[in-house]
């Protein structure tokens, strides 16, 4: 199902918030600030937001370590993400999990596994729970090249198909698995060719908000109606290095420049202008996003650090 | 006397296998959130513990899984996140190494790492231990592999009564529990406590026998070897404080250390091989707790793989005779 103009506008604001946040983190890193476990999502905003925004609040996601657009689109406030990033009191995990384990079960975000691969089984379990309770929620399980090479994905797909479980697996093919090119790890650089004929597979342009939205929402509604699992591969590109300390010397500068032409923020902005949205309105969105980011980071820097004492309730579980 | 007799008559004699099945059935009946899952569970599982449950509770409560340990251990985690209390069977406890990531990195850490207030009730159960030439991948004692893992409760029952009370506690625990059933225990008989709500709290040791000369700590099948050794030692005039910790983690240090403070002699009997054994930790903790003049010894399997030859294996497994010998040597020295 294609998004309406209002849905595109809302998604665009979330995408821009994600982008402005990543840009602010980039500035902080350049200034020498340490941002533990920070992974930039620059270039993947249409994928992250377009795949989550169409979901219901009761639907569940298993997010990747890269980018914060999934979390923002699912309704987790940036302020909490910043508190977790900076290991401060008041976030979602009190310095025990950092930005890698942001969670808010009440909006369908239970957290994230520490070693890639368990997520596939977790998705099976969440979907099995829905099926056993005759609920209608769907689980969307995102994964990158690393997790997607683990055997648990096959195991999960088999179980999802065996039990017709409502899971949509979204492969985030951003061209790189840390220092390795996707095509060095998967035949022809496709993360989903291998699943063709096993479960329904769809490949979308991950930098096209409407295409991601359309593909994911159709897969989700099909799963909700009892149609079983589907794999959707979103082709995108990682414009920033893998992690905050990575200099990405392995990633050719001209390749990155070439890929900037497909920047999803620019493309979505262009699409909105074509749909009649004014420059003024789009600029106002960016200003609001900038204010949100500034407030969230400012509050997080000012917040007291998490400590064993402040985390005691959780440590002694 | 008449009262005592009537109570005994009411107590049902069952095997550990039957007792475990009864508890699973009872918990499935008690809460719709309890699920049984694993390989071949529809036909009783590896040791017959889930026999009859599928027929009684159906496919939505007793879930037969493919041989996909990573997948279905992950699924158990997902089910627990959604509020279910899955009881997952591992076909042989040795195979836990195939899912050490899910167990030690994910399940054990999850509640703390994500500051999760709600329970994460997962019981992982399965058969374990040497039973005569099953080879090194179907015989190992797995508690040493996992007792290093903070966040995991490890339970090793040794009697019908404890199997019942501990499995009930494990399934109702808000945290992940590893429940390890020694293969040689399944056919052991005993009486099931009459109270259908009978539980044995996790982390509380059982003082099996009282004596002043030496503290012997043993669990699982080794508790029975140690009990036989204790009877033999009693006949020699040696009094044994025999402690079955029942839970490896958390360990009931208070009970063990109080006993050792009194006897100043400690022997730990453990089926696992020596290096990295749980008994090493027990000795260390007792040394740190510091009764002056503490003397201690371990009766374990030497550092060998379990051979496929049952005869060769029997020679290296700890037993009652080796325990008697170790205690006498300790007291004589």
């Amino acid at each position: 199902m294609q998004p309406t103009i209002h849905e595109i506008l809302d998604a665009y604001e979330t995408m821009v918030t994600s982008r402005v946040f990543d840009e602010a983190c980039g500035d902080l890193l350049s200034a020498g600030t340490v941002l533990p476990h920070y992974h930039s999502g620059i270039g993947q905003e249409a994928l992250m937001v377009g795949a989550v925004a169409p979901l219901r609040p009761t639907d569940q996601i298993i997010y990747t370590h890269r980018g914060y657009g999934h979390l923002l689109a699912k309704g987790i406030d940036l302020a909490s993400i910043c508190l977790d990033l900076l290991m401060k009191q008041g976030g979602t995990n009190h310095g025990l999990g950092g930005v890698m384990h942001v969670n808010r079960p009440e909006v369908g975000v239970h957290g994230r596994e520490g070693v890639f691969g368990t997520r596939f089984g977790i998705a099976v379990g969440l979907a099995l729970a829905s099926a056993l309770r005759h609920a209608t929620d769907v689980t969307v399980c995102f994964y990158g090249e690393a997790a997607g090479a683990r055997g648990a994905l096959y195991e999960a797909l088999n179980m999802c198909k065996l039990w017709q479980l409502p899971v949509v697996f979204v492969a985030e093919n951003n061209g790189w698995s840390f220092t390795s090119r996707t095509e060095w790890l998967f035949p022809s650089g496709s993360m989903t060719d291998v699943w063709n004929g096993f479960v329904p597979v769809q490949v979308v342009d991950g930098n096209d908000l409407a295409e991601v939205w359309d593909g994911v929402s159709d897969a989700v509604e099909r799963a909700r109606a009892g149609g079983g699992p589907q794999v959707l591969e979103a082709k995108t590109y990682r414009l920033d290095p893998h992690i905050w300390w990575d200099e990405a010397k392995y990633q050719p500068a001209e390749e990155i420049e070439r890929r900037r032409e497909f920047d999803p923020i620019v493309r979505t902005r262009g699409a909105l202008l074509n749909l009649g949205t004014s420059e003024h309105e789009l600029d106002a969105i960016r200003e609001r996003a900038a204010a949100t980011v500034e407030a969230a980071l400012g509050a997080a820097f000012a917040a007291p650090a998490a400590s064993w004492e402040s985390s005691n309730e959780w440590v002694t579980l | 006397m008449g009262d005592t007799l009537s109570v005994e008559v009411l107590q049902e004699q069952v095997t550990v296998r039957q007792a475990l099945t009864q508890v699973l059935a009872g918990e499935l009946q008690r809460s719709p959130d309890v699920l049984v899952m694993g390989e071949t569970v529809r036909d009783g599982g590896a040791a017959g513990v889930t026999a009859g449950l599928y027929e009684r509770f159906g496919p939505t409560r007793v879930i037969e899984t493919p041989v996909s340990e990573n997948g279905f251990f992950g699924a158990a985690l997902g089910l627990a996140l959604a509020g279910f209390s899955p009881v997952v069977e591992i076909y042989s406890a040795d195979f836990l190494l195939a899912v050490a990531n899910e167990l030690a990195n994910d399940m054990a850490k999850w509640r703390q790492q994500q500051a999760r207030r709600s329970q994460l009730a997962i019981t992982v159960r399965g058969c374990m231990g040497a039973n005569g030439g099953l080879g090194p991948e179907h015989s190992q004692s797995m508690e040493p592999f996992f007792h290093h893992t903070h966040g995991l409760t490890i339970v090793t029952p040794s009697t019908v009564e404890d199997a019942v009370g501990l499995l009930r506690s494990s399934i109702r625990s808000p945290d992940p529990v590893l429940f390890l059933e020694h293969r040689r225990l399944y056919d052991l008989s005993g009486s099931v406590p009459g109270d259908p709500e009978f539980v044995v709290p996790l982390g509380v040791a059982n003082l099996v026998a009282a004596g002043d000369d030496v503290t012997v700590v043993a669990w699982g099948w080794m508790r029975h070897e140690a009990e036989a050794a204790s009877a033999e030692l009693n006949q020699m005039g040696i009094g044994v404080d025999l402690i079955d910790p029942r839970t490896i983690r958390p360990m009931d240090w208070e009970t063990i250390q109080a006993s050792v403070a009194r006897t100043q002699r400690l022997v730990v009997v453990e089926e696992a091989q020596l290096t990295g054994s749980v008994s090493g930790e027990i000795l260390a903790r007792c040394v740190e707790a510091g009764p002056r003049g503490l003397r201690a010894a371990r009766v374990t399997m030497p550092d060998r793989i379990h051979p496929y030859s049952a005869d060769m294996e029997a020679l290296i497994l700890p037993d009652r005779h080796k325990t008697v010998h170790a205690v006498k040597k300790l007291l004589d020295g």
Side-chain angles (χ1 to χ4, degrees):
Chain A
M1 192 188 297
Q2 290 282 337
T4 65
I5 180 150
H6 295 293
E7 287 169 336
I8 298 174
L9 266 173
D10 281 349
Y12 180 69
E13 180 150 354
T14 308
M15 287 169 62
V16 172
T17 305
S18 175
R19 172 64 60 92
V20 173
F21 174 64
D22 278 329
E23 287 170 350
C25 288
D27 291 344
L28 286 165
L29 290 169
S30 301
T33 309
V34 173
L35 299 176
H37 311 285
Y38 165 76
H39 293 77
S40 168
I42 284 185
Q44 302 183 199
E45 292 88 352
L47 193 178
M48 295 187 281
V49 177
V52 176
L55 304 179
R56 296 179 183 174
T58 46
D59 290 334
Q60 302 171 93
I61 65 163
I62 305 175
Y63 59 97
T64 68
H65 58 291
R66 176 162 315 291
Y68 306 95
H70 315 91
L71 299 173
L72 293 172
K74 199 72 179 78
I76 297 185
D77 57 304
L78 185 63
S80 293
I81 297 170
C82 290
L83 289 164
D84 283 341
L85 175 66
L86 298 176
M87 312 292 172
K88 297 300 184 86
Q89 293 182 31
T92 74
N93 58 53
H94 315 280
L96 293 164
V99 80
M100 299 292 265
H101 298 278
V102 176
N103 66 92
R104 189 143 285 167
E106 57 272 29
V107 298
V109 183
H110 289 282
R112 206 184 66 86
E113 85 277 40
V115 180
F116 299 133
T118 310
R119 61 183 47 229
F120 303 117
I122 295 174
V124 171
L126 292 173
L128 185 54
S130 303
L132 292 173
R133 291 191 172 123
H134 306 290
T136 54
D137 52 291
V138 174
T139 298
V140 178
C141 178
F142 295 88
Y143 66 97
E145 286 86 347
R150 299 292 310 276
L153 174 55
Y154 159 73
E155 299 185 356
L157 286 172
N158 187 52
M159 284 189 276
C160 283
K161 189 158 181 204
L162 179 67
W163 298 324
Q164 283 295 91
L165 297 179
V167 181
V168 175
F169 295 89
V170 178
E172 301 186 340
N173 183 343
N174 67 7
W176 289 92
S177 179
F178 190 7
T179 65
S180 311
R181 287 191 184 275
T182 308
E183 56 262 37
W184 300 347
L185 312 174
F186 295 89
S188 310
S190 164
M191 292 171 66
T192 51
D193 264 2
V194 68
W195 306 124
N196 257 317
F198 185 29
V199 291
V201 169
Q202 188 185 353
V203 181
V204 299
D205 178 350
N207 285 14
D208 183 324
L209 176 70
E211 200 174 315
V212 173
W213 184 297
D214 187 40
V216 171
S217 57
D218 283 357
V220 164
E221 292 318 314
R222 185 176 158 277
R224 206 188 301 287
Q230 181 167 329
V231 182
L232 192 128
E233 178 172 1
K235 302 258 192 191
T236 181
Y237 190 79
R238 195 191 78 198
L239 290 171
D240 262 0
H242 165 64
I243 188 171
W244 65 277
W245 46 260
D246 178 21
E247 293 177 28
K249 287 177 180 162
Y250 51 85
Q251 202 172 0
E254 61 275 15
E255 179 177 305
I256 299 172
E257 282 319 304
R258 201 165 61 243
R259 294 292 192 146
R260 281 196 201 285
E261 286 175 37
F262 307 100
D263 185 325
I265 300 281
V266 176
R267 286 173 69 179
T268 310
R269 185 183 166 96
L272 281 165
L273 286 170
N274 285 340
L275 288 166
T277 311
S278 69
E279 292 266 2
H280 175 74
E281 201 174 340
L282 295 172
D283 290 345
I285 284 175
R286 187 165 181 104
E287 281 161 30
R288 277 203 302 276
T292 301
V293 169
E294 193 180 346
L297 277 170
F301 275 109
S307 65
W308 286 114
E309 288 71 27
S310 71
S311 310
N312 194 44
E313 183 186 348
W314 314 108
V315 174
T316 54
L317 274 174
Chain B
M1 192 177 165
D3 285 351
T4 312
L5 264 179
S6 66
V7 167
E8 280 173 4
V9 168
L10 283 173
Q11 283 180 333
E12 190 191 354
Q13 288 287 312
V14 297
T15 63
V16 166
R17 180 185 289 106
Q18 291 167 326
L20 292 170
T21 309
Q22 286 178 9
V23 173
L24 288 176
E27 294 303 294
L28 282 163
Q29 185 71 41
R30 180 175 178 266
S31 165
D33 291 333
V34 173
L35 305 170
V36 166
M37 59 193 290
E39 296 158 11
T40 73
V41 295
R42 188 168 162 162
D43 191 42
V49 170
T50 64
L53 298 178
Y54 180 86
E55 289 75 7
R56 183 168 163 198
F57 295 97
T60 60
R61 305 294 306 285
V62 180
I63 301 167
E64 173 97 355
T65 67
V67 182
S68 300
E69 284 88 356
N70 298 106
F72 74 75
F73 269 66
L77 174 53
L79 285 162
L81 289 171
F84 281 93
S85 302
V87 182
V88 195
E89 173 165 318
I90 187 79
Y91 198 80
S92 176
D94 309 69
F95 306 171
L96 288 169
L97 295 180
V99 285
N101 184 51
E102 285 77 4
L103 194 57
N105 284 332
D106 299 317
M107 293 175 179
K109 295 176 176 58
W110 196 281
R111 282 190 83 196
Q112 293 192 29
Q113 200 166 44
Q114 340 266 337
R116 180 184 168 85
R117 206 178 290 274
S118 324
Q119 66 174 25
L120 192 69
I122 305 165
T123 305
V124 175
R125 53 153 294 275
C127 55
M128 177 181 90
N131 197 18
L134 293 176
E137 323 83 356
H138 296 77
S139 303
Q140 296 170 95
S141 297
M142 298 308 293
E143 63 274 32
F145 285 90
F146 292 100
H147 96 296
H148 188 62
T149 302
H150 179 56
L152 209 54
T153 300
I154 304 174
V155 179
T156 52
S158 63
T159 65
V160 167
E161 184 174 309
D162 284 350
V164 167
L166 291 168
L167 183 57
R168 222 171 253 146
S169 289
S170 299
I171 294 170
R172 297 177 189 181
S173 167
D175 289 303
V177 176
L178 183 53
F179 189 91
L180 300 169
E181 304 157 5
H182 197 288
R183 290 184 171 82
R184 295 183 70 177
L185 292 171
Y186 285 127
D187 292 320
L188 198 76
S189 288
S191 54
V192 176
D195 177 5
E197 289 294 297
F198 170 78
V199 291
V200 173
L202 304 175
V204 178
N206 180 22
L207 186 62
V208 180
D212 294 329
D213 298 315
V214 61
T215 302
V216 174
V217 179
W219 58 92
W221 178 252
M222 286 300 125
R223 171 243 165 99
H224 298 284
E225 296 293 336
E227 211 170 353
S230 176
E232 201 175 316
L233 288 161
N234 283 166
Q235 298 209 325
M236 300 173 192
I238 298 168
V240 177
D241 235 14
L242 176 58
I243 297 171
D244 177 355
R246 302 192 282 203
T247 311
I248 300 303
R249 186 167 184 145
M251 182 70 82
D252 183 353
W253 297 118
E254 205 176 317
T255 296
I256 294 172
Q257 287 168 352
S259 170
V260 171
R262 192 161 46 77
T263 63
Q264 306 208 4
R265 299 286 183 274
L266 170 66
V267 173
V268 185
V269 189
E270 180 177 9
E271 185 171 300
Q273 54 179 285
L274 182 67
T275 303
S277 58
V278 174
S279 52
E281 179 71 15
I282 296 174
L283 259 64
R285 295 279 189 135
C286 289
V287 167
E288 287 170 340
R292 282 171 189 268
L294 167 65
R295 292 178 59 81
R298 288 184 277 173
V299 185
T300 70
M301 192 174 108
D303 289 344
R304 295 279 187 279
I305 65 167
H306 289 267
Y308 271 87
S309 158
D311 291 341
M312 286 166 68
E313 184 185 46
L315 293 173
I316 59 169
L317 289 175
D319 61 16
R320 57 201 69 189
H321 308 298
K322 290 171 184 166
T323 304
V324 168
H325 179 74
V327 168
K328 283 174 65 185
K329 194 176 163 199
L330 191 75
L331 294 181
D332 291 346

